[in-house]
mmCIF file of all heavy atoms in Angstrom:
data_model
loop_
_atom_site.group_PDB
_atom_site.id
_atom_site.type_symbol
_atom_site.label_atom_id
_atom_site.label_comp_id
_atom_site.label_asym_id
_atom_site.label_seq_id
_atom_site.Cartn_x
_atom_site.Cartn_y
_atom_site.Cartn_z
ATOM 1 N N GLY A 341 27.092 -73.322 13.847
ATOM 2 C CA GLY A 341 26.644 -73.862 12.565
ATOM 3 C C GLY A 341 27.652 -74.823 11.966
ATOM 4 O O GLY A 341 27.274 -75.852 11.395
ATOM 5 N N ILE A 342 28.937 -74.521 12.128
ATOM 6 C CA ILE A 342 29.961 -75.361 11.499
ATOM 7 C C ILE A 342 30.405 -76.517 12.428
ATOM 8 O O ILE A 342 30.437 -77.676 12.017
ATOM 9 C CB ILE A 342 31.175 -74.506 11.082
ATOM 10 C CG1 ILE A 342 30.742 -73.588 9.924
ATOM 11 C CG2 ILE A 342 32.358 -75.377 10.647
ATOM 12 C CD1 ILE A 342 31.814 -72.721 9.346
ATOM 13 N N LEU A 343 30.706 -76.157 13.687
ATOM 14 C CA LEU A 343 31.270 -77.179 14.577
ATOM 15 C C LEU A 343 30.256 -77.771 15.562
ATOM 16 O O LEU A 343 30.490 -78.832 16.133
ATOM 17 C CB LEU A 343 32.446 -76.582 15.387
ATOM 18 C CG LEU A 343 33.615 -76.007 14.581
ATOM 19 C CD1 LEU A 343 34.642 -75.398 15.541
ATOM 20 C CD2 LEU A 343 34.265 -77.075 13.722
ATOM 21 N N GLY A 344 29.175 -77.044 15.793
ATOM 22 C CA GLY A 344 28.180 -77.515 16.752
ATOM 23 C C GLY A 344 28.500 -77.119 18.176
ATOM 24 O O GLY A 344 27.871 -77.630 19.115
ATOM 25 N N VAL A 345 29.478 -76.203 18.384
ATOM 26 C CA VAL A 345 29.768 -75.719 19.739
ATOM 27 C C VAL A 345 29.630 -74.193 19.774
ATOM 28 O O VAL A 345 29.921 -73.516 18.781
ATOM 29 C CB VAL A 345 31.200 -76.088 20.218
ATOM 30 C CG1 VAL A 345 31.335 -77.597 20.376
ATOM 31 C CG2 VAL A 345 32.262 -75.519 19.291
ATOM 32 N N SER A 346 29.176 -73.666 20.904
ATOM 33 C CA SER A 346 29.011 -72.212 21.026
ATOM 34 C C SER A 346 29.107 -71.806 22.483
ATOM 35 O O SER A 346 28.700 -72.557 23.375
ATOM 36 C CB SER A 346 27.657 -71.800 20.447
ATOM 37 O OG SER A 346 27.394 -70.464 20.754
ATOM 38 N N ASP A 347 29.628 -70.585 22.739
ATOM 39 C CA ASP A 347 29.683 -70.047 24.093
ATOM 40 C C ASP A 347 28.375 -69.346 24.452
ATOM 41 O O ASP A 347 28.184 -68.925 25.580
ATOM 42 C CB ASP A 347 30.830 -69.018 24.215
ATOM 43 C CG ASP A 347 32.195 -69.690 24.187
ATOM 44 O OD1 ASP A 347 32.262 -70.890 24.511
ATOM 45 O OD2 ASP A 347 33.188 -69.015 23.841
ATOM 46 N N VAL A 348 27.513 -69.123 23.428
ATOM 47 C CA VAL A 348 26.275 -68.366 23.690
ATOM 48 C C VAL A 348 25.071 -69.113 23.132
ATOM 49 O O VAL A 348 25.210 -70.079 22.370
ATOM 50 C CB VAL A 348 26.343 -66.960 23.009
ATOM 51 C CG1 VAL A 348 27.507 -66.152 23.546
ATOM 52 C CG2 VAL A 348 26.417 -67.094 21.496
ATOM 53 N N ASN A 349 23.878 -68.629 23.515
ATOM 54 C CA ASN A 349 22.640 -69.194 23.001
ATOM 55 C C ASN A 349 22.447 -68.743 21.547
ATOM 56 O O ASN A 349 22.377 -67.543 21.262
ATOM 57 C CB ASN A 349 21.475 -68.696 23.875
ATOM 58 C CG ASN A 349 20.150 -69.280 23.426
ATOM 59 O OD1 ASN A 349 19.823 -69.257 22.247
ATOM 60 N ND2 ASN A 349 19.404 -69.798 24.382
ATOM 61 N N VAL A 350 22.341 -69.703 20.629
ATOM 62 C CA VAL A 350 22.305 -69.372 19.199
ATOM 63 C C VAL A 350 21.020 -68.655 18.816
ATOM 64 O O VAL A 350 21.045 -67.690 18.025
ATOM 65 C CB VAL A 350 22.485 -70.660 18.349
ATOM 66 C CG1 VAL A 350 22.316 -70.358 16.877
ATOM 67 C CG2 VAL A 350 23.864 -71.256 18.596
ATOM 68 N N VAL A 351 19.887 -69.072 19.364
ATOM 69 C CA VAL A 351 18.612 -68.412 19.032
ATOM 70 C C VAL A 351 18.665 -66.956 19.481
ATOM 71 O O VAL A 351 18.265 -66.033 18.744
ATOM 72 C CB VAL A 351 17.423 -69.145 19.705
ATOM 73 C CG1 VAL A 351 16.124 -68.389 19.446
ATOM 74 C CG2 VAL A 351 17.333 -70.568 19.181
ATOM 75 N N PHE A 352 19.197 -66.729 20.673
ATOM 76 C CA PHE A 352 19.329 -65.357 21.172
ATOM 77 C C PHE A 352 20.245 -64.551 20.244
ATOM 78 O O PHE A 352 19.950 -63.392 19.908
ATOM 79 C CB PHE A 352 19.895 -65.371 22.597
ATOM 80 C CG PHE A 352 20.155 -63.988 23.137
ATOM 81 C CD1 PHE A 352 19.105 -63.171 23.531
ATOM 82 C CD2 PHE A 352 21.462 -63.498 23.226
ATOM 83 C CE1 PHE A 352 19.339 -61.893 24.008
ATOM 84 C CE2 PHE A 352 21.704 -62.215 23.693
ATOM 85 C CZ PHE A 352 20.638 -61.412 24.093
ATOM 86 N N ALA A 353 21.349 -65.181 19.835
ATOM 87 C CA ALA A 353 22.315 -64.493 18.958
ATOM 88 C C ALA A 353 21.654 -64.070 17.652
ATOM 89 O O ALA A 353 21.774 -62.912 17.221
ATOM 90 C CB ALA A 353 23.507 -65.400 18.682
ATOM 91 N N LEU A 354 20.918 -64.987 17.017
ATOM 92 C CA LEU A 354 20.280 -64.672 15.738
ATOM 93 C C LEU A 354 19.196 -63.603 15.908
ATOM 94 O O LEU A 354 19.056 -62.704 15.073
ATOM 95 C CB LEU A 354 19.680 -65.941 15.123
ATOM 96 C CG LEU A 354 20.707 -66.947 14.584
ATOM 97 C CD1 LEU A 354 20.032 -68.244 14.160
ATOM 98 C CD2 LEU A 354 21.491 -66.368 13.413
ATOM 99 N N SER A 355 18.441 -63.690 17.013
ATOM 100 C CA SER A 355 17.394 -62.687 17.268
ATOM 101 C C SER A 355 18.022 -61.310 17.435
ATOM 102 O O SER A 355 17.517 -60.306 16.920
ATOM 103 C CB SER A 355 16.606 -63.026 18.535
ATOM 104 O OG SER A 355 16.209 -64.359 18.504
ATOM 105 N N MET A 356 19.144 -61.288 18.148
ATOM 106 C CA MET A 356 19.821 -60.013 18.383
ATOM 107 C C MET A 356 20.297 -59.377 17.069
ATOM 108 O O MET A 356 20.149 -58.180 16.847
ATOM 109 C CB MET A 356 21.015 -60.249 19.305
ATOM 110 C CG MET A 356 21.561 -58.990 19.918
ATOM 111 S SD MET A 356 23.158 -59.312 20.648
ATOM 112 C CE MET A 356 24.130 -59.680 19.211
ATOM 113 N N ILE A 357 20.827 -60.226 16.192
ATOM 114 C CA ILE A 357 21.293 -59.698 14.895
ATOM 115 C C ILE A 357 20.104 -59.103 14.135
ATOM 116 O O ILE A 357 20.199 -58.014 13.562
ATOM 117 C CB ILE A 357 21.952 -60.812 14.044
ATOM 118 C CG1 ILE A 357 23.173 -61.392 14.758
ATOM 119 C CG2 ILE A 357 22.386 -60.265 12.684
ATOM 120 C CD1 ILE A 357 23.771 -62.610 14.062
ATOM 121 N N LEU A 358 18.971 -59.808 14.162
ATOM 122 C CA LEU A 358 17.783 -59.317 13.457
ATOM 123 C C LEU A 358 17.312 -57.979 14.006
ATOM 124 O O LEU A 358 16.962 -57.068 13.241
ATOM 125 C CB LEU A 358 16.660 -60.353 13.551
ATOM 126 C CG LEU A 358 16.705 -61.476 12.523
ATOM 127 C CD1 LEU A 358 15.679 -62.550 12.859
ATOM 128 C CD2 LEU A 358 16.451 -60.941 11.115
ATOM 129 N N VAL A 359 17.324 -57.850 15.325
ATOM 130 C CA VAL A 359 16.887 -56.592 15.941
ATOM 131 C C VAL A 359 17.822 -55.456 15.528
ATOM 132 O O VAL A 359 17.382 -54.366 15.136
ATOM 133 C CB VAL A 359 16.853 -56.726 17.495
ATOM 134 C CG1 VAL A 359 16.665 -55.361 18.156
ATOM 135 C CG2 VAL A 359 15.742 -57.680 17.907
ATOM 136 N N PHE A 360 19.120 -55.722 15.561
ATOM 137 C CA PHE A 360 20.090 -54.686 15.161
ATOM 138 C C PHE A 360 19.929 -54.308 13.699
ATOM 139 O O PHE A 360 20.058 -53.143 13.323
ATOM 140 C CB PHE A 360 21.531 -55.148 15.435
ATOM 141 C CG PHE A 360 21.971 -54.854 16.841
ATOM 142 C CD1 PHE A 360 22.214 -55.871 17.744
ATOM 143 C CD2 PHE A 360 22.136 -53.536 17.262
ATOM 144 C CE1 PHE A 360 22.618 -55.591 19.040
ATOM 145 C CE2 PHE A 360 22.539 -53.247 18.561
ATOM 146 C CZ PHE A 360 22.774 -54.283 19.457
#
Side-chain angles (χ1 to χ4, degrees):
Chain A
I342 291 183
L343 302 177
V345 294
S346 170
D347 288 337
V348 300
N349 182 311
V350 174
V351 175
F352 176 74
L354 289 173
S355 311
M356 196 193 66
I357 299 173
L358 276 171
V359 169
F360 274 113

